[in-house]
């Protein structure tokens, strides 16, 4: 497999060199020139990295010869010690270069529609769902994203029963109120990060109303890439628009205005509601954004099934029958089951969002390494 890796890196280096000759013979005013320059810029780090890899491997070969020599034993010991560090450096550089060979995912920077739903465990799980929503709001703030709530359904016990939210790129640090958890995240790497939160989040704790008994519950999180109007076209004839008076807090406006909107996509039966904005037009626009994301996700799933189960997973689909992470309040432990990462810490501290990026990075790297192994296995 290492031979395959070296060959792919050598091919990228050769392609970069060939591009330089082609660019030199191409008019700078042509579209072809711009296209070639873009490809060349993408391959430059790979070409430079490959040349550095070649130098390190040559240096490692020289150290190996010294370490295995029959001459100066002290020099051989020093060479062997230095060789171990150099071999580690070579392995890390090779892996980073190979990861750069993976085809880019066009949805990495898409907005994210993030949905939360309290699931198994009774009404107290609604409080955990609200904690998760707080965590994502804090994480979004750290990333410079705006977190905008679309819809919120409150449980009778308190907390969140189901929620929709919108997260957009923002420099103003707008935190907003907590009302929903279908989050639309825009900005560099938005979907590329939150896509790994899709799945079942399990919580173990002693709820205040459980008479001291330990209980386990779950909340389902689904992260969908928001589709643009170009990617998903929705005919007006395929929609049924329903309006009603918004419920919940909001004063006189809520009680006197039919501003809440429910949009039903007739071909699929998917329904989306929004009542967060003050006008029907605004709520209709927000509801269509969520609907478009859901339809786009359906197309991603269809395409993934046609390709393979692995491609389906790579498209960011959530398997709600499989837990991805556990939060044990009693033992002070958070475990991500996909990568076996266990963090011993106060769970409420973790829910502040500061360590979430660390977990996401580990999960993303594991996924990339899996794709890399598949790429190398295919030759």
């Amino acid at each position: 497999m290492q031979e395959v890796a070296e060959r792919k890196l050598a091919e990228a280096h050769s392609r970069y060199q060939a591009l330089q000759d082609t660019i030199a013979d191409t008019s700078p005013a042509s579209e072809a020139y711009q296209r070639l320059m873009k490809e060349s810029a993408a391959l430059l780090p790979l070409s430079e990295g490959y040349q550095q890899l070649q130098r390190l491997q040559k240096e490692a070969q020289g150290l190996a010869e010294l370490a295995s020599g029959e001459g100066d034993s002290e020099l051989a010991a020093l060479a062997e010690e230095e060789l171990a560090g150099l071999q580690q450096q070579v392995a890390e550089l090779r892996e980073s270069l190979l990861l750069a060979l993976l085809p880019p995912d066009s949805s990495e920077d898409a907005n994210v529609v993030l949905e939360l739903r309290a699931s198994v465990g009774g009404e107290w799980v609604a409080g955990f769902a609200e904690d998760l929503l707080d965590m994502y709001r804090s994480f979004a703030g750290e990333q410079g994203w705006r977190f905008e709530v679309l819809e919120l359904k409150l449980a009778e016990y308190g907390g969140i029963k189901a929620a929709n939210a919108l997260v957009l790129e923002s420099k103003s640090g707008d935190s907003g109120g907590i009302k929903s958890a279908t989050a639309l995240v825009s900005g560099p790497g938005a979907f590329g990060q939150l896509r790994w939160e899709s799945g079942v989040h399990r919580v173990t704790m002693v709820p205040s109303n459980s008479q001291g008994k330990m209980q386990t519950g779950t909340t389902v999180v689904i992260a969908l890439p928001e589709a643009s109007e170009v990617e998903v076209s929705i005919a007006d004839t395929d929609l049924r628009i329903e309006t009603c008076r918004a419920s919940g807090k909001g004063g006189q406006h809520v009680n006197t205005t039919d501003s809440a909107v429910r949009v039903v996509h007739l071909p699929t039966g998917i329904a989306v509601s929004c009542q967060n904005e003050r006008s029907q037009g605004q709520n209709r626009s927000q509801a269509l954004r969520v609907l478009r994301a859901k339809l786009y996700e359906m197309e991603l799933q269809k395409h993934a099934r046609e390709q393979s189960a692995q491609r389906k997973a790579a498209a960011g689909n959530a398997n709600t029958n499989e837990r991805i992470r556990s939060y044990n309040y009693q033992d002070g432990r958070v475990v991500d089951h996909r990568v076996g990462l266990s963090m011993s810490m106060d769970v409420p501290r973790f829910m502040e969002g500061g360590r979430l990026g660390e977990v996401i990075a580990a999960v993303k790297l594991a996924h990339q390494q899996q794709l890399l192994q598949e790429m190398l296995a295919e030759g």
Side-chain angles (χ1 to χ4, degrees):
M1 190 167 291
Q2 183 171 325
E3 292 180 0
V4 176
E6 294 285 347
R7 175 171 56 79
K8 286 187 175 294
L9 291 174
E11 289 172 353
H13 174 60
S14 297
R15 173 58 180 166
Y16 174 79
Q17 291 181 314
L19 279 173
Q20 307 317 302
D21 295 333
T22 306
I23 290 172
D25 296 331
T26 305
S27 170
S30 66
E31 292 184 6
Y33 182 84
Q34 300 302 322
R35 185 176 64 254
L36 292 170
M37 287 295 294
K38 184 177 180 180
E39 183 181 358
S40 175
L43 289 175
L44 176 59
L46 280 169
S47 177
E48 292 178 340
Y50 176 71
Q51 294 177 76
Q52 181 185 0
L53 182 65
Q54 294 290 93
R55 291 193 294 269
L56 292 176
Q57 288 176 328
K58 186 174 181 179
E59 185 179 344
Q61 184 178 357
L63 287 173
E65 293 174 357
L66 284 176
S68 60
E70 298 180 357
D72 190 332
S73 59
E74 184 176 346
L75 180 61
L78 290 174
E80 186 173 356
E81 182 180 347
E82 187 176 348
L83 176 62
L86 191 58
Q87 287 175 332
Q88 178 67 24
Q89 189 177 348
V90 166
E92 292 175 355
L93 177 59
R94 181 188 292 113
E95 182 175 5
S96 67
L97 291 173
L98 288 172
L99 289 176
L101 282 175
L102 292 174
D105 188 338
S106 60
S107 65
E108 282 284 299
D109 290 332
N111 291 350
V112 179
V113 175
L114 181 68
E115 298 184 351
L116 276 72
R117 185 176 70 252
S119 185
V120 179
E123 291 186 336
W124 65 270
V125 179
F128 173 63
E130 188 168 6
D131 288 344
L132 283 176
L133 186 59
D134 278 337
M135 178 179 72
Y136 294 129
R137 184 181 64 173
S138 298
F139 183 69
E142 291 182 359
Q143 305 303 312
W145 302 327
R146 176 184 167 201
F147 198 93
E148 181 184 347
V149 173
L150 295 181
E151 184 183 14
L152 177 68
K153 295 181 181 178
L154 297 177
E156 294 180 5
Y157 173 74
I160 295 173
K161 187 175 183 180
N164 294 327
L166 194 66
V167 182
L168 302 170
E169 185 178 16
S170 173
K171 295 182 179 179
S172 63
D174 180 15
S175 59
I178 300 176
K179 281 192 175 182
S180 161
T182 298
L184 215 165
V185 184
S186 116
F191 181 67
Q193 294 193 60
L194 288 181
R195 69 189 302 173
W196 307 110
E197 290 302 291
S198 289
V200 173
H201 295 244
R202 187 182 70 173
V203 59
T204 301
M205 64 187 304
V206 180
S208 58
N209 63 341
S210 67
Q211 299 178 341
K213 295 181 180 179
M214 184 83 71
Q215 296 191 26
T216 298
T218 61
T219 290
V220 176
V221 176
I222 301 176
L224 309 174
E226 185 195 25
S228 68
E229 294 184 19
V230 176
E231 292 169 316
V232 177
S233 177
I234 303 176
D236 290 341
T237 54
D238 289 339
L239 299 176
R240 183 173 74 244
I241 311 294
E242 303 171 353
T243 60
C244 60
R245 292 187 179 180
S247 60
K249 298 180 180 180
Q252 292 181 349
H253 166 74
V254 167
N255 298 322
T256 61
T257 306
D258 291 340
S259 60
V261 173
R262 183 172 184 266
V263 179
V264 181
H265 187 244
L266 299 177
T268 61
I270 295 176
V272 177
S273 300
C274 184
Q275 64 174 27
N276 190 53
E277 304 296 338
R278 294 184 63 85
S279 72
Q280 284 186 13
Q282 290 174 317
N283 282 325
R284 182 180 185 276
S285 177
Q286 297 286 45
L288 285 175
R289 294 179 77 178
V290 177
L291 175 61
R292 192 173 287 111
K294 288 177 177 288
L295 293 176
Y296 180 56
E297 177 68 6
M298 287 180 63
E299 286 301 312
L300 284 181
Q301 291 184 10
K302 179 181 178 181
H303 179 67
R305 285 193 297 269
E306 292 173 352
Q307 295 297 316
S308 68
Q310 290 297 334
R311 287 292 299 276
K312 178 179 179 181
N317 300 302
N319 180 0
T320 55
N321 295 317
E322 181 179 346
R323 71 182 182 188
I324 63 166
R325 193 176 302 141
S326 294
Y327 307 75
N328 192 312
Y329 279 74
Q330 196 72 8
D331 294 342
R333 187 173 67 252
V334 177
V335 180
D336 195 290
H337 303 284
R338 295 165 293 184
V339 293
L341 177 62
S342 180
M343 306 175 74
S344 297
M345 64 180 300
D346 184 47
V347 176
R349 271 193 59 210
F350 181 85
M351 302 302 271
E352 293 174 0
R355 303 290 298 276
L356 180 59
E358 182 180 332
V359 179
I360 289 175
V363 175
K364 183 175 182 178
L365 178 60
H367 174 70
Q368 289 176 323
Q369 289 173 333
Q370 181 181 354
L371 292 180
L372 178 58
Q373 292 299 315
E374 292 173 2
M375 181 183 73
L376 295 178
E378 292 174 357

